[in-house]
């Protein structure tokens, strides 16, 4: 597919061509990866709003508009922040970077060398790390290449700070927070009444009580009193002081919500939600900046699930041959091009333009369902399912009038060459021409799952549904990782549609040129027909399974 494409006006029918037209706009570099809390995301939602306005849908946001605003603040570390060691003072952004902690922090302590992050055969014990400033080297490929297994003890969890050495500092990033009092109050009350769950495993991370600092080799040398190359595991360094100042500002963030009114006077007071997430992860701060086709070649061979790849070993000699063959073939088509924008063409540009296309088909086509439809573009899924959390906590229609949520997140891939995930046993899953994953479709309503099957069987080319990722206790925990989870927690039946993972997942290579537009159009037609069927039923889809005991309980797949 081309790198750039400008289509003409879209037509009422759901077509691959329209999806292509829309996605080349929505995942273009000019929107800079649509990160929630940035002006880029505001421009992305302005595009969606202009489209639903043209379609004549009814506004269902705040104050008669299509926008539903959320309270979001963004923290950043100021350049007044310092690390002092060995008589030298180092400054934030020039000598070190870190994610802003919730408030100003000052930490003094002795320094210890912790070896290479992720080398679990040669690491400090918790006794050695507790209360110390631990200096570690990054694993090959950077911090992102290591994740501790879920539930395993982290010996660095009691460290005062974790300091990772990098020859090139990543770009400083802001830390956004959704300030949702309904959520915070609900969570606190639930935790108070369920102390044993509150104590269950947290989210892991690198430890260091929230201070994870990346520093230049010069800072590391001052901390250790010697170069990192000359340090051995457990070597004591000097005492040091880390003084972090945080600035907090408002960061405008909004959902887009639009209604197609139902035709039945009574049933139109009930709603079927069709949703996607409007945001992605923005501009990568990784340094050095990667070359697009080199990364593409590497990931296609050696990191086949993109950022979801767990602890991939270094490529073998044979794999390097394949990586270089792919890279060289691409080099004949394109000159080297540095790329720092995570365009999110599939994630979730595909879902965002799909529901625009579905909305256009309902607004301008012959099918007019009895119940009303809510189209929602949820902002901040990548930050922790914000948009759906906000909408379900602050619904703009009565919450119990919502009969189902159909969520589209990553519906643009699923080719035979894509590794779409792993089953619970750890075996790789692959796409196919008729490939579609369904997640959660029978977790609250057997009837809803059955409807999806029967509507699918009447499609011109039915999909083969892959339910592998929906297994109870699946380690990838997909059921809890997209916006439908916030509807399900309130007992609203959901279906999560996705063509699954791939090597471009959360990479700068997730671009419109790699999307399967025909496949995506067929997914959208299926969702259109399922939505019509659910919206026209003479009863609400029956909830016959157990609801979560609280909307504020931790999601459990
Ligand atoms: Zn997504």
């Amino acid at each position: 597919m081309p790198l750039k494409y400008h289509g003409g006006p879209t037509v009422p029918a759901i077509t691959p061509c329209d999806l292509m037209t829309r996605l080349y706009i929505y995942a273009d570099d000019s929107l800079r990866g649509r990160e929630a809390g940035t002006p880029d995301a505001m421009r992305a939602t302005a595009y969606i709003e202009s489209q639903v306005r043209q379609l004549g849908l009814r506004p269902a946001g705040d104050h008669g508009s299509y926008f539903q605003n959320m309270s979001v603040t963004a923290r950043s570390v100021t350049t007044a922040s310092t690390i002092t060691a060995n008589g030298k003072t180092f400054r934030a952004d020039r000598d070190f970077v870190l994610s802003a902690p919730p408030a100003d922090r000052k930490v003094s302590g002795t320094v210890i060398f912790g070896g290479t992050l992720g080398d679990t055969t040669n690491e400090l014990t918790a006794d050695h790390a507790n209360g110390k400033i631990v200096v570690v080297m990054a694993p090959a490929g950077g911090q992102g290449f290591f994740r501790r297994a879920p539930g395993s003890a982290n010996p660095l969890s009691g460290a005062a700070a974790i300091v990772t050495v990098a020859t090139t500092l990543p770009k400083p990033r802001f830390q956004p927070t959704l300030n949702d009092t309904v959520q915070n109050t609900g969570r606190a009350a639930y935790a108070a009444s369920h102390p044993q769950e509150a104590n269950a495993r947290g989210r892991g991370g690198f430890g260091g009580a929230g201070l994870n600092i990346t520093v230049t080799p010069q800072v590391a040398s001052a901390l250790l009193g010697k170069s990192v190359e000359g340090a051995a595991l457990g070597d004591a360094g000097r005492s040091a002081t880390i003084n972090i100042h945080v600035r907090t500002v408002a960061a405008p963030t909004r959902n887009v919500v639009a209604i197609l009114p139902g035709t039945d006077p009574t049933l139109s007071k009930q709603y079927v939600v069709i949703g996607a997430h409007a945001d992605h992860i923005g501009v990568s701060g990784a340094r050095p900046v990667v070359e697009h086709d080199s990364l593409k070649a590497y990931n296609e061979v050696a990191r086949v699930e993109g950022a979801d790849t767990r602890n991939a070993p270094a490529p073998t000699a044979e794999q390097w041959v394949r990586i270089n063959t792919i890279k060289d073939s691409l080099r004949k088509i394109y000159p080297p091009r540095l790329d720092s924008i995570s365009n999110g063409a599939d994630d979730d540009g595909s879902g965002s333009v799909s529901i625009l296309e579905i909305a256009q088909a309902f607004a301008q086509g012959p099918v007019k369902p009895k119940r009303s439809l809510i189209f929602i573009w949820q902002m901040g899924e990548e930050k922790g399912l914000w948009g759906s959390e906000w909408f379900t906590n602050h619904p703009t229609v009565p919450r119990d009038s919502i009969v189902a949520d159909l969520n589209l997140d990553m519906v643009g891939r699923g080719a035979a060459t894509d590794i779409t995930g792993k089953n619970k046993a750890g075996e790789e899953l692959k796409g196919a021409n008729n490939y579609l994953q369904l997640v959660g479709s029978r977790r609250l309503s057997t009837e809803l799952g059955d409807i999806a099957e029967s509507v699918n069987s009447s499609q011109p080319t039915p999909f083969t549904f892959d339910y592998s990722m929906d297994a109870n206790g699946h380690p990838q925990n997909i059921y809890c990782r997209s916006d439908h989870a916030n509807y399900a927690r309130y007992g609203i039946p959901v279906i999560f549609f996705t063509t699954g993972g791939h090597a471009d997942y959360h990479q700068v290579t997730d671009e419109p040129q790699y999307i399967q537009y025909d496949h995506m159009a067929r997914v959208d037609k299926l969702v259109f027909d399922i939505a019509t069927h659910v919206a026209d039923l003479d009863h609400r889809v029956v909830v016959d399974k157990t609801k979560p005991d609280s909307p504020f309980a931790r999601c459990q797949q």
Side-chain angles (χ1 to χ4, degrees), residues 277 347-348 381-382 409-410:
H277 69 89
D347 188 9
D348 186 21
E381 190 267 0
E382 302 287 4
D409 191 356
M410 298 171 60

Side-chain angles (χ1 to χ4, degrees), residues 164-170 214-217:
T164 307
V165 188
T167 46
T168 317
L169 292 182
T214 305
V215 304
T216 61

Side-chain angles (χ1 to χ4, degrees), residues 499-536:
T499 46
H502 46 76
D504 302 312
Y505 173 74
H506 280 209
Q507 303 291 303
V508 298
T509 51
D510 183 4
E511 293 195 349
Q513 60 184 303
Y514 308 121
I515 296 294
Q516 312 275 312
Y517 292 95
D518 179 67
H519 197 146
M520 180 157 62
R522 285 186 283 122
V523 173
D524 297 350
K525 286 176 190 165
L526 172 69
V527 173
F528 180 97
D529 288 346
I530 292 171
T532 304
H533 190 106
V534 173
D536 281 345

Side-chain angles (χ1 to χ4, degrees), residues 250-265:
T253 298
R254 59 194 182 186
N255 292 328
V256 183
V257 198
I259 288 176
L260 179 91
T263 54
D264 182 279

Side-chain angles (χ1 to χ4, degrees), residues 540-557:
R540 296 174 70 125
V541 279
V542 176
V543 177
D544 60 330
K545 302 282 186 64
T546 312
K547 298 180 185 181
D549 67 340
S550 160
F552 304 105
R554 187 174 290 277
C555 178
Q556 180 66 47
Q557 176 167 341

Side-chain angles (χ1 to χ4, degrees), residues 276-277 279-280 346-349 381-382 385 407-410 481-483 496 505-506:
H277 69 89
D279 65 311
H280 191 55
D346 186 34
D347 188 9
D348 186 21
E381 190 267 0
E382 302 287 4
L385 317 189
N407 180 35
L408 287 74
D409 191 356
M410 298 171 60
R481 281 175 53 187
S482 187
D483 288 309
F496 170 21
Y505 173 74
H506 280 209

Side-chain angles (χ1 to χ4, degrees), residues 423-493:
N423 68 15
K424 197 177 168 184
E427 296 154 343
E428 286 183 348
L429 306 170
K430 282 196 169 67
N433 184 41
N434 297 321
Y435 186 83
L436 185 61
Q437 294 183 3
L438 260 58
V439 178
S441 63
R442 290 189 174 87
R443 285 183 175 266
L444 284 162
S445 168
T446 306
E447 183 183 21
L448 183 59
D450 290 349
I451 288 169
E453 295 268 356
S454 69
V455 171
N456 178 54
S457 65
S458 63
Q459 295 293 297
T461 316
F463 288 96
T464 303
F465 291 159
D466 183 351
Y467 292 103
S468 307
M469 302 299 286
D470 199 19
N472 286 335
H474 191 296
Q476 280 171 289
N477 202 33
I478 288 288
Y479 176 65
C480 299
R481 281 175 53 187
S482 187
D483 288 309
H484 59 274
N486 277 322
Y487 295 81
R489 71 187 171 129
Y490 277 109
I492 298 166

